[in-house]
Amino acid sequence: EVQLVESGGGLVQPGGSLRLSCEASGLAVSSNYMSWVRQAPGKGLEWVSVIYSGGIIYYADSVKGRFTISRDSSKDTVYLQLSSLRAEDTAIYYCARDMGGVVTATPLFAFDLWGQGAMVTVSS
Amino acid sequence: QSALTQPRAVSGSPGQSVTISCIGSSSDIGGYNYVSWYQQHPDKAPKLIIYNVSKRPSGVPDRFSGSKSGNTASLTISGLQAEDEADYYCCSYAGSYTYVIFGGGTRLTVL
């Protein structure tokens, strides 16, 4: 079964750091376009970051300079390092796969596979 | 860049059709054919139901359809069923600087 499983969420103080992991089963993260998307409590979806199969990386302005996306192909795991955390970073963080890696050789900017999410709470 | 604009809520009776609009700009919806739609039930991860404006992933009923005109995308759900009650989000590619942008979400209530 193809699936994504996030881990590493928790409670952290403002200014603190946390690393989220997204372990993939049934797919190779190095051959896919892997994103992180977050959802604050009771709010909508917000795209956070993406790492392309070729290694290109993009970030949303709201997290640029504070968050770092990376991957370990040997473990088929994508990471999101969260630093200088603020209260407004409190959210469920989803790992998501762009279906472009499956259908075409380019991203389709549509996410067909999602993890169950990891909750990050930034509070003192 | 601001989120795409969706109505906060829509409703319909079983068997009816509803349409959810998603208003963007020439920098996102109007500039690319990379509009997608997601269905999210409470406490669940989003589910892709439309991509490339009007294409349905395998397994998504043909009751769900998507379209685009200018800077506005639309999702139409025909033959409403109770299980369609959920939140719906539109999403569009917005160029390499912004990447993708989501709408604020629409709560669909099946009366």
Side-chain angles (χ1 to χ4, degrees):
Chain A
E1 181 187 7
V2 180
Q3 64 175 356
L4 302 172
V5 178
E6 299 96 336
S7 61
L11 173 65
V12 61
Q13 293 188 338
S17 298
L18 204 62
R19 188 178 79 161
L20 303 179
S21 300
C22 169
E23 184 173 359
S25 301
L27 68 97
V29 298
S30 59
S31 301
N32 284 273
Y33 307 94
M34 303 298 298
S35 275
W36 288 93
V37 177
R38 69 183 179 182
Q39 186 170 34
K43 302 297 184 181
L45 301 170
E46 180 189 15
W47 174 81
V48 173
S49 181
V50 63
I51 182 166
Y52 278 21
S53 53
I56 295 173
I57 288 171
Y58 295 102
Y59 297 100
D61 278 350
S62 57
V63 307
K64 203 171 293 183
R66 301 188 300 121
F67 291 8
T68 303
I69 192 170
S70 63
R71 68 185 178 207
D72 184 335
S73 301
S74 67
K75 297 180 179 179
D76 275 323
T77 299
V78 178
Y79 303 98
L80 187 68
Q81 178 71 42
L82 291 66
S83 303
S84 302
L85 282 162
R86 308 165 180 165
E88 54 265 35
D89 295 318
T90 294
I92 297 173
Y93 284 74
Y94 293 103
C95 177
R97 191 261 309 262
D98 188 309
M99 69 185 303
V102 177
V103 177
T104 70
T106 58
L108 289 179
F109 311 103
F111 308 110
D112 68 330
L113 183 64
W114 297 68
Q116 86 287 353
M119 183 70 209
V120 173
T121 302
V122 184
S123 175
S124 54
Chain B
Q1 189 164 355
S2 301
L4 304 173
T5 301
Q6 297 181 234
R8 292 183 69 92
V10 298
S11 62
S13 299
Q16 288 187 331
S17 295
V18 295
T19 295
I20 299 171
S21 61
C22 174
I23 302 172
S25 70
S26 58
S27 298
D28 38 69
I29 292 175
Y32 310 94
N33 286 322
Y34 290 123
V35 177
S36 54
W37 289 88
Y38 301 85
Q39 176 191 64
Q40 186 180 34
H41 287 107
D43 298 321
K44 298 293 186 181
K47 175 188 175 183
L48 178 67
I49 56 174
I50 295 289
Y51 70 100
N52 281 20
V53 177
S54 59
K55 296 181 179 179
R56 283 186 309 276
S58 174
V60 174
D62 60 7
R63 301 187 296 104
F64 293 88
S65 62
S67 63
K68 185 186 90 166
S69 177
N71 298 336
T72 300
S74 299
L75 172 71
T76 298
I77 309 171
S78 58
L80 270 178
Q81 299 181 4
E83 61 260 34
D84 297 334
E85 187 162 289
D87 292 327
Y88 291 84
Y89 293 91
C90 61
C91 178
S92 174
Y93 178 64
S96 59
Y97 184 79
T98 302
Y99 203 73
V100 298
I101 186 169
F102 284 93
T106 298
R107 174 69 54 87
L108 168 63
T109 300
V110 180
L111 302 171

